[in-house]
Amino acid sequence: MYTFGIDIGSTTSKCVVMEDGQNIVGTSLLVGGIGTRSPELAVSQALENAGVTWDDLTATAATGYGRNRYEGADYNVSELSCHGLGAHHTFPTVRTIIDIGGQDAKVISLDEKGRMNNFLMNDKCAAGTGRFLDVMANILVVPVDEFAQYCEKSVNPAQISSTCTVFAESEVISQLANGVEMEDLIAGICSSVAVRVGNLAKRINIVPDVCMSGGVAQNAGVRNALSRSIGQPILFSPQAQLFGAIGAALYAYQKQVKK
Ligand code: ADP
């Protein structure tokens, strides 16, 4: 049985085709989220990648910020549940998930069976989200996927004291003008996001194992700084940005099995 998960985010569209609630047989990840053509293109790409058609799918589920505007799915599921399911599928021992996406950050705690028992969310402020990193990447003209390489070279990370993205933007520009090294600035930017999200996580009981989900998980600069901030190792999967879509495909599968 094939099930399909689509995660329509604020910045990126992700899809997963799953066979029998176990194997991932096709995926897609396209920049462009809600309100763009990316969700539609991501659906076709994942189906092509899996070598199946829409008619081969037994059930589909949509999640993510744009899930309510997507009409093609059988089920509409919250991101919290989907990240929980996706992370538990990948790391069965995981009890705490730190999800940093394009416009919010969430900390989700799971029981030993992978069921969500608590969560906290920051969706009021861009600082502490991928948005903060994307804004800084634009100013520095360094793509976010190169941030980790810069962090590795940093010996004296810059302090970013502003807690507001707009003020932090001016602060970064003035540090650039003062000749602060690019690697130190980028390490300071990654650390600023990590400390904010780390402080959010510390408001919940952080039970190991801990993993990250969402696109910012790919940034080893943030991941390492977050691990230092919470005092715990963080499990990483290259599929972390797909956890929401994996969870949606699993949700659709579980609904069929329970019928
Ligand atoms: P959303 O679901 O809100 O669209 P995602 O979980 O897909 O968000 O994450 C998007 C964020 O991930 C972007 O804001 C960007 O900062 C970050 N990101 C995406 N790819 C990478 C990468 N290769 N390296 C570092 N950061 C990345």
PDB file of all heavy atoms in Angstrom, residues 174-205:
ATOM      1  N   SER A 174      26.908  46.695  10.977  1.00  0.00           N
ATOM      2  CA  SER A 174      27.949  47.533  11.589  1.00  0.00           C
ATOM      3  C   SER A 174      29.163  46.679  11.982  1.00  0.00           C
ATOM      4  O   SER A 174      30.297  47.134  11.868  1.00  0.00           O
ATOM      5  CB  SER A 174      27.389  48.387  12.738  1.00  0.00           C
ATOM      6  OG  SER A 174      27.375  47.658  13.905  1.00  0.00           O
ATOM      7  N   GLN A 175      28.955  45.423  12.356  1.00  0.00           N
ATOM      8  CA  GLN A 175      30.108  44.563  12.655  1.00  0.00           C
ATOM      9  C   GLN A 175      30.911  44.278  11.383  1.00  0.00           C
ATOM     10  O   GLN A 175      32.135  44.229  11.409  1.00  0.00           O
ATOM     11  CB  GLN A 175      29.640  43.255  13.298  1.00  0.00           C
ATOM     12  CG  GLN A 175      28.948  43.487  14.641  1.00  0.00           C
ATOM     13  CD  GLN A 175      29.188  42.354  15.619  1.00  0.00           C
ATOM     14  OE1 GLN A 175      30.220  41.720  15.616  1.00  0.00           O
ATOM     15  NE2 GLN A 175      28.222  42.113  16.489  1.00  0.00           N
ATOM     16  N   LEU A 176      30.191  44.118  10.262  1.00  0.00           N
ATOM     17  CA  LEU A 176      30.877  43.926   8.972  1.00  0.00           C
ATOM     18  C   LEU A 176      31.741  45.132   8.672  1.00  0.00           C
ATOM     19  O   LEU A 176      32.901  45.014   8.263  1.00  0.00           O
ATOM     20  CB  LEU A 176      29.837  43.799   7.840  1.00  0.00           C
ATOM     21  CG  LEU A 176      29.297  42.431   7.464  1.00  0.00           C
ATOM     22  CD1 LEU A 176      28.279  42.586   6.342  1.00  0.00           C
ATOM     23  CD2 LEU A 176      30.421  41.496   7.027  1.00  0.00           C
ATOM     24  N   ALA A 177      31.158  46.346   8.885  1.00  0.00           N
ATOM     25  CA  ALA A 177      31.871  47.592   8.617  1.00  0.00           C
ATOM     26  C   ALA A 177      33.093  47.722   9.532  1.00  0.00           C
ATOM     27  O   ALA A 177      34.101  48.313   9.153  1.00  0.00           O
ATOM     28  CB  ALA A 177      30.934  48.783   8.814  1.00  0.00           C
ATOM     29  N   ASN A 178      33.008  47.134  10.735  1.00  0.00           N
ATOM     30  CA  ASN A 178      34.136  47.205  11.680  1.00  0.00           C
ATOM     31  C   ASN A 178      35.177  46.117  11.433  1.00  0.00           C
ATOM     32  O   ASN A 178      36.107  45.958  12.220  1.00  0.00           O
ATOM     33  CB  ASN A 178      33.634  47.092  13.131  1.00  0.00           C
ATOM     34  CG  ASN A 178      32.894  48.340  13.541  1.00  0.00           C
ATOM     35  OD1 ASN A 178      33.163  49.415  13.016  1.00  0.00           O
ATOM     36  ND2 ASN A 178      31.953  48.210  14.464  1.00  0.00           N
ATOM     37  N   GLY A 179      34.987  45.344  10.373  1.00  0.00           N
ATOM     38  CA  GLY A 179      36.003  44.366   9.983  1.00  0.00           C
ATOM     39  C   GLY A 179      35.937  43.037  10.725  1.00  0.00           C
ATOM     40  O   GLY A 179      36.902  42.278  10.707  1.00  0.00           O
ATOM     41  N   VAL A 180      34.814  42.747  11.389  1.00  0.00           N
ATOM     42  CA  VAL A 180      34.684  41.430  12.046  1.00  0.00           C
ATOM     43  C   VAL A 180      34.723  40.341  10.954  1.00  0.00           C
ATOM     44  O   VAL A 180      34.121  40.503   9.890  1.00  0.00           O
ATOM     45  CB  VAL A 180      33.361  41.350  12.867  1.00  0.00           C
ATOM     46  CG1 VAL A 180      33.153  39.963  13.457  1.00  0.00           C
ATOM     47  CG2 VAL A 180      33.362  42.403  13.967  1.00  0.00           C
ATOM     48  N   GLU A 181      35.475  39.276  11.229  1.00  0.00           N
ATOM     49  CA  GLU A 181      35.634  38.195  10.240  1.00  0.00           C
ATOM     50  C   GLU A 181      34.287  37.548   9.932  1.00  0.00           C
ATOM     51  O   GLU A 181      33.472  37.324  10.848  1.00  0.00           O
ATOM     52  CB  GLU A 181      36.562  37.096  10.783  1.00  0.00           C
ATOM     53  CG  GLU A 181      37.984  37.534  11.067  1.00  0.00           C
ATOM     54  CD  GLU A 181      38.765  37.879   9.805  1.00  0.00           C
ATOM     55  OE1 GLU A 181      38.349  37.448   8.699  1.00  0.00           O
ATOM     56  OE2 GLU A 181      39.765  38.589   9.929  1.00  0.00           O
ATOM     57  N   MET A 182      34.103  37.174   8.665  1.00  0.00           N
ATOM     58  CA  MET A 182      32.844  36.560   8.233  1.00  0.00           C
ATOM     59  C   MET A 182      32.526  35.301   9.053  1.00  0.00           C
ATOM     60  O   MET A 182      31.388  35.091   9.486  1.00  0.00           O
ATOM     61  CB  MET A 182      32.961  36.216   6.742  1.00  0.00           C
ATOM     62  CG  MET A 182      31.699  35.734   6.119  1.00  0.00           C
ATOM     63  SD  MET A 182      30.381  36.969   6.182  1.00  0.00           S
ATOM     64  CE  MET A 182      30.702  37.896   4.694  1.00  0.00           C
ATOM     65  N   GLU A 183      33.563  34.469   9.305  1.00  0.00           N
ATOM     66  CA  GLU A 183      33.289  33.221  10.043  1.00  0.00           C
ATOM     67  C   GLU A 183      32.834  33.508  11.480  1.00  0.00           C
ATOM     68  O   GLU A 183      31.993  32.795  12.032  1.00  0.00           O
ATOM     69  CB  GLU A 183      34.495  32.264  10.037  1.00  0.00           C
ATOM     70  CG  GLU A 183      35.790  32.825  10.536  1.00  0.00           C
ATOM     71  CD  GLU A 183      36.688  33.315   9.391  1.00  0.00           C
ATOM     72  OE1 GLU A 183      36.150  33.774   8.358  1.00  0.00           O
ATOM     73  OE2 GLU A 183      37.922  33.243   9.561  1.00  0.00           O
ATOM     74  N   ASP A 184      33.373  34.579  12.074  1.00  0.00           N
ATOM     75  CA  ASP A 184      32.985  34.906  13.452  1.00  0.00           C
ATOM     76  C   ASP A 184      31.562  35.467  13.499  1.00  0.00           C
ATOM     77  O   ASP A 184      30.801  35.188  14.427  1.00  0.00           O
ATOM     78  CB  ASP A 184      33.983  35.903  14.058  1.00  0.00           C
ATOM     79  CG  ASP A 184      35.340  35.246  14.303  1.00  0.00           C
ATOM     80  OD1 ASP A 184      35.369  34.015  14.500  1.00  0.00           O
ATOM     81  OD2 ASP A 184      36.364  35.954  14.279  1.00  0.00           O
ATOM     82  N   LEU A 185      31.234  36.228  12.466  1.00  0.00           N
ATOM     83  CA  LEU A 185      29.864  36.773  12.398  1.00  0.00           C
ATOM     84  C   LEU A 185      28.853  35.639  12.230  1.00  0.00           C
ATOM     85  O   LEU A 185      27.834  35.591  12.925  1.00  0.00           O
ATOM     86  CB  LEU A 185      29.755  37.692  11.183  1.00  0.00           C
ATOM     87  CG  LEU A 185      29.779  39.186  11.451  1.00  0.00           C
ATOM     88  CD1 LEU A 185      29.647  39.958  10.156  1.00  0.00           C
ATOM     89  CD2 LEU A 185      28.655  39.573  12.419  1.00  0.00           C
ATOM     90  N   ILE A 186      29.151  34.726  11.300  1.00  0.00           N
ATOM     91  CA  ILE A 186      28.213  33.624  11.022  1.00  0.00           C
ATOM     92  C   ILE A 186      28.090  32.716  12.249  1.00  0.00           C
ATOM     93  O   ILE A 186      26.983  32.296  12.615  1.00  0.00           O
ATOM     94  CB  ILE A 186      28.617  32.860   9.738  1.00  0.00           C
ATOM     95  CG1 ILE A 186      28.400  33.803   8.540  1.00  0.00           C
ATOM     96  CG2 ILE A 186      27.835  31.559   9.576  1.00  0.00           C
ATOM     97  CD1 ILE A 186      28.798  33.262   7.192  1.00  0.00           C
ATOM     98  N   ALA A 187      29.211  32.462  12.925  1.00  0.00           N
ATOM     99  CA  ALA A 187      29.144  31.631  14.147  1.00  0.00           C
ATOM    100  C   ALA A 187      28.290  32.335  15.205  1.00  0.00           C
ATOM    101  O   ALA A 187      27.495  31.694  15.907  1.00  0.00           O
ATOM    102  CB  ALA A 187      30.547  31.359  14.677  1.00  0.00           C
ATOM    103  N   GLY A 188      28.407  33.658  15.294  1.00  0.00           N
ATOM    104  CA  GLY A 188      27.607  34.418  16.262  1.00  0.00           C
ATOM    105  C   GLY A 188      26.123  34.373  15.914  1.00  0.00           C
ATOM    106  O   GLY A 188      25.259  34.251  16.800  1.00  0.00           O
ATOM    107  N   ILE A 189      25.826  34.434  14.622  1.00  0.00           N
ATOM    108  CA  ILE A 189      24.423  34.392  14.156  1.00  0.00           C
ATOM    109  C   ILE A 189      23.809  33.014  14.477  1.00  0.00           C
ATOM    110  O   ILE A 189      22.702  32.922  15.018  1.00  0.00           O
ATOM    111  CB  ILE A 189      24.379  34.694  12.627  1.00  0.00           C
ATOM    112  CG1 ILE A 189      24.688  36.175  12.384  1.00  0.00           C
ATOM    113  CG2 ILE A 189      23.051  34.291  12.016  1.00  0.00           C
ATOM    114  CD1 ILE A 189      25.053  36.517  10.945  1.00  0.00           C
ATOM    115  N   CYS A 190      24.564  31.949  14.176  1.00  0.00           N
ATOM    116  CA  CYS A 190      24.059  30.586  14.443  1.00  0.00           C
ATOM    117  C   CYS A 190      23.868  30.385  15.944  1.00  0.00           C
ATOM    118  O   CYS A 190      22.870  29.807  16.391  1.00  0.00           O
ATOM    119  CB  CYS A 190      25.025  29.530  13.897  1.00  0.00           C
ATOM    120  SG  CYS A 190      25.018  29.478  12.107  1.00  0.00           S
ATOM    121  N   SER A 191      24.821  30.909  16.707  1.00  0.00           N
ATOM    122  CA  SER A 191      24.738  30.739  18.150  1.00  0.00           C
ATOM    123  C   SER A 191      23.543  31.512  18.719  1.00  0.00           C
ATOM    124  O   SER A 191      22.862  31.038  19.635  1.00  0.00           O
ATOM    125  CB  SER A 191      26.064  31.227  18.717  1.00  0.00           C
ATOM    126  OG  SER A 191      26.006  31.233  20.058  1.00  0.00           O
ATOM    127  N   SER A 192      23.265  32.679  18.146  1.00  0.00           N
ATOM    128  CA  SER A 192      22.133  33.473  18.639  1.00  0.00           C
ATOM    129  C   SER A 192      20.799  32.721  18.455  1.00  0.00           C
ATOM    130  O   SER A 192      19.949  32.688  19.356  1.00  0.00           O
ATOM    131  CB  SER A 192      22.169  34.839  17.930  1.00  0.00           C
ATOM    132  OG  SER A 192      20.919  35.277  17.570  1.00  0.00           O
ATOM    133  N   VAL A 193      20.648  32.053  17.302  1.00  0.00           N
ATOM    134  CA  VAL A 193      19.430  31.247  17.070  1.00  0.00           C
ATOM    135  C   VAL A 193      19.405  30.068  18.054  1.00  0.00           C
ATOM    136  O   VAL A 193      18.384  29.788  18.700  1.00  0.00           O
ATOM    137  CB  VAL A 193      19.385  30.731  15.603  1.00  0.00           C
ATOM    138  CG1 VAL A 193      18.279  29.705  15.411  1.00  0.00           C
ATOM    139  CG2 VAL A 193      19.212  31.890  14.637  1.00  0.00           C
ATOM    140  N   ALA A 194      20.563  29.424  18.202  1.00  0.00           N
ATOM    141  CA  ALA A 194      20.633  28.232  19.065  1.00  0.00           C
ATOM    142  C   ALA A 194      20.314  28.580  20.519  1.00  0.00           C
ATOM    143  O   ALA A 194      19.582  27.836  21.188  1.00  0.00           O
ATOM    144  CB  ALA A 194      22.021  27.614  18.960  1.00  0.00           C
ATOM    145  N   VAL A 195      20.822  29.702  20.998  1.00  0.00           N
ATOM    146  CA  VAL A 195      20.580  30.069  22.405  1.00  0.00           C
ATOM    147  C   VAL A 195      19.096  30.370  22.625  1.00  0.00           C
ATOM    148  O   VAL A 195      18.493  29.939  23.606  1.00  0.00           O
ATOM    149  CB  VAL A 195      21.496  31.251  22.815  1.00  0.00           C
ATOM    150  CG1 VAL A 195      21.063  31.854  24.140  1.00  0.00           C
ATOM    151  CG2 VAL A 195      22.946  30.791  22.885  1.00  0.00           C
ATOM    152  N   ARG A 196      18.490  31.068  21.655  1.00  0.00           N
ATOM    153  CA  ARG A 196      17.049  31.376  21.793  1.00  0.00           C
ATOM    154  C   ARG A 196      16.221  30.093  21.845  1.00  0.00           C
ATOM    155  O   ARG A 196      15.347  29.938  22.688  1.00  0.00           O
ATOM    156  CB  ARG A 196      16.575  32.191  20.588  1.00  0.00           C
ATOM    157  CG  ARG A 196      17.070  33.599  20.649  1.00  0.00           C
ATOM    158  CD  ARG A 196      16.247  34.491  19.767  1.00  0.00           C
ATOM    159  NE  ARG A 196      15.980  35.684  20.533  1.00  0.00           N
ATOM    160  CZ  ARG A 196      14.806  36.224  20.730  1.00  0.00           C
ATOM    161  NH1 ARG A 196      13.734  35.713  20.205  1.00  0.00           N
ATOM    162  NH2 ARG A 196      14.675  37.299  21.438  1.00  0.00           N
ATOM    163  N   VAL A 197      16.504  29.185  20.903  1.00  0.00           N
ATOM    164  CA  VAL A 197      15.715  27.949  20.861  1.00  0.00           C
ATOM    165  C   VAL A 197      16.077  27.051  22.050  1.00  0.00           C
ATOM    166  O   VAL A 197      15.211  26.392  22.629  1.00  0.00           O
ATOM    167  CB  VAL A 197      15.903  27.215  19.511  1.00  0.00           C
ATOM    168  CG1 VAL A 197      15.076  25.947  19.466  1.00  0.00           C
ATOM    169  CG2 VAL A 197      15.507  28.127  18.352  1.00  0.00           C
ATOM    170  N   GLY A 198      17.338  27.085  22.455  1.00  0.00           N
ATOM    171  CA  GLY A 198      17.774  26.324  23.632  1.00  0.00           C
ATOM    172  C   GLY A 198      17.013  26.789  24.869  1.00  0.00           C
ATOM    173  O   GLY A 198      16.564  25.970  25.676  1.00  0.00           O
ATOM    174  N   ASN A 199      16.825  28.095  25.002  1.00  0.00           N
ATOM    175  CA  ASN A 199      16.089  28.621  26.157  1.00  0.00           C
ATOM    176  C   ASN A 199      14.624  28.194  26.115  1.00  0.00           C
ATOM    177  O   ASN A 199      14.027  27.900  27.150  1.00  0.00           O
ATOM    178  CB  ASN A 199      16.197  30.147  26.219  1.00  0.00           C
ATOM    179  CG  ASN A 199      17.585  30.574  26.660  1.00  0.00           C
ATOM    180  OD1 ASN A 199      18.325  29.785  27.245  1.00  0.00           O
ATOM    181  ND2 ASN A 199      17.954  31.814  26.378  1.00  0.00           N
ATOM    182  N   LEU A 200      14.060  28.126  24.910  1.00  0.00           N
ATOM    183  CA  LEU A 200      12.683  27.633  24.772  1.00  0.00           C
ATOM    184  C   LEU A 200      12.634  26.166  25.232  1.00  0.00           C
ATOM    185  O   LEU A 200      11.767  25.776  26.019  1.00  0.00           O
ATOM    186  CB  LEU A 200      12.247  27.757  23.296  1.00  0.00           C
ATOM    187  CG  LEU A 200      10.855  27.277  22.934  1.00  0.00           C
ATOM    188  CD1 LEU A 200       9.799  28.284  23.373  1.00  0.00           C
ATOM    189  CD2 LEU A 200      10.719  27.061  21.416  1.00  0.00           C
ATOM    190  N   ALA A 201      13.622  25.383  24.755  1.00  0.00           N
ATOM    191  CA  ALA A 201      13.643  23.951  25.086  1.00  0.00           C
ATOM    192  C   ALA A 201      13.792  23.718  26.586  1.00  0.00           C
ATOM    193  O   ALA A 201      13.203  22.780  27.132  1.00  0.00           O
ATOM    194  CB  ALA A 201      14.781  23.260  24.328  1.00  0.00           C
ATOM    195  N   LYS A 202      14.556  24.597  27.246  1.00  0.00           N
ATOM    196  CA  LYS A 202      14.797  24.394  28.684  1.00  0.00           C
ATOM    197  C   LYS A 202      13.536  24.612  29.514  1.00  0.00           C
ATOM    198  O   LYS A 202      13.492  24.275  30.688  1.00  0.00           O
ATOM    199  CB  LYS A 202      15.915  25.316  29.159  1.00  0.00           C
ATOM    200  CG  LYS A 202      17.297  24.841  28.719  1.00  0.00           C
ATOM    201  CD  LYS A 202      18.357  25.836  29.140  1.00  0.00           C
ATOM    202  CE  LYS A 202      19.586  25.710  28.268  1.00  0.00           C
ATOM    203  NZ  LYS A 202      20.425  26.914  28.328  1.00  0.00           N
ATOM    204  N   ARG A 203      12.490  25.187  28.899  1.00  0.00           N
ATOM    205  CA  ARG A 203      11.223  25.364  29.636  1.00  0.00           C
ATOM    206  C   ARG A 203      10.412  24.069  29.689  1.00  0.00           C
ATOM    207  O   ARG A 203       9.397  23.991  30.357  1.00  0.00           O
ATOM    208  CB  ARG A 203      10.404  26.491  28.982  1.00  0.00           C
ATOM    209  CG  ARG A 203      11.026  27.866  29.260  1.00  0.00           C
ATOM    210  CD  ARG A 203      10.427  28.988  28.423  1.00  0.00           C
ATOM    211  NE  ARG A 203       8.984  28.916  28.286  1.00  0.00           N
ATOM    212  CZ  ARG A 203       8.304  29.491  27.294  1.00  0.00           C
ATOM    213  NH1 ARG A 203       8.934  30.169  26.363  1.00  0.00           N
ATOM    214  NH2 ARG A 203       7.003  29.387  27.247  1.00  0.00           N
ATOM    215  N   ILE A 204      10.878  23.086  28.924  1.00  0.00           N
ATOM    216  CA  ILE A 204      10.223  21.778  28.916  1.00  0.00           C
ATOM    217  C   ILE A 204      11.241  20.804  29.537  1.00  0.00           C
ATOM    218  O   ILE A 204      12.424  21.108  29.539  1.00  0.00           O
ATOM    219  CB  ILE A 204       9.891  21.406  27.445  1.00  0.00           C
ATOM    220  CG1 ILE A 204       8.472  20.940  27.250  1.00  0.00           C
ATOM    221  CG2 ILE A 204      10.841  20.442  26.878  1.00  0.00           C
ATOM    222  CD1 ILE A 204       8.085  20.788  25.788  1.00  0.00           C
ATOM    223  N   ASN A 205      10.804  19.674  30.032  1.00  0.00           N
ATOM    224  CA  ASN A 205      11.762  18.698  30.555  1.00  0.00           C
ATOM    225  C   ASN A 205      12.450  18.018  29.363  1.00  0.00           C
ATOM    226  O   ASN A 205      11.819  17.269  28.629  1.00  0.00           O
ATOM    227  CB  ASN A 205      10.972  17.694  31.405  1.00  0.00           C
ATOM    228  CG  ASN A 205      11.869  16.723  32.104  1.00  0.00           C
ATOM    229  OD1 ASN A 205      13.062  16.983  32.245  1.00  0.00           O
ATOM    230  ND2 ASN A 205      11.307  15.603  32.530  1.00  0.00           N
TER     231      ASN A 205
END
